[in-house]
Amino acid sequence: MNRLSKIAAAILIASPALAKDQPTNFSYEDVFNLEYASDPQFSNNGKSIYYVRNSINKMADNKRTNL
């Protein structure tokens, strides 16, 4: 597992602990509010990381991506 994957895993593991005011039950509708990162890439100078932000558009019934 490379360094970037370890950082991403640590953030995903820590995020529920940081969201103390959030409800603990998860419904089917909550899936449409989820967003996740994919395809992380370092910039040419190595000072930034770019990634694709993924989400679901419920009304159009398709996946949305942003850089």
Side-chain angles (χ1 to χ4, degrees), residues 3-65:
R3 187 173 134 217
L4 185 58
S5 296
K6 290 179 184 177
I7 292 170
I11 291 170
L12 289 174
I13 290 168
S15 60
L18 298 174
K20 295 182 185 202
D21 296 332
Q22 299 295 324
T24 56
N25 296 334
F26 193 79
S27 71
Y28 293 112
E29 291 292 319
D30 292 331
V31 171
F32 295 106
N33 296 324
L34 295 176
E35 295 183 356
Y36 62 95
S38 64
D39 194 26
Q41 301 287 323
F42 285 101
S43 63
N44 290 340
N45 63 8
K47 293 184 179 183
S48 299
I49 299 175
Y50 296 97
Y51 60 91
V52 177
R53 182 174 147 193
N54 300 279
S55 62
I56 299 172
N57 184 340
K58 179 179 177 181
M59 299 309 279
D61 193 26
N62 62 9
K63 185 172 132 179
R64 236 186 306 186
T65 58

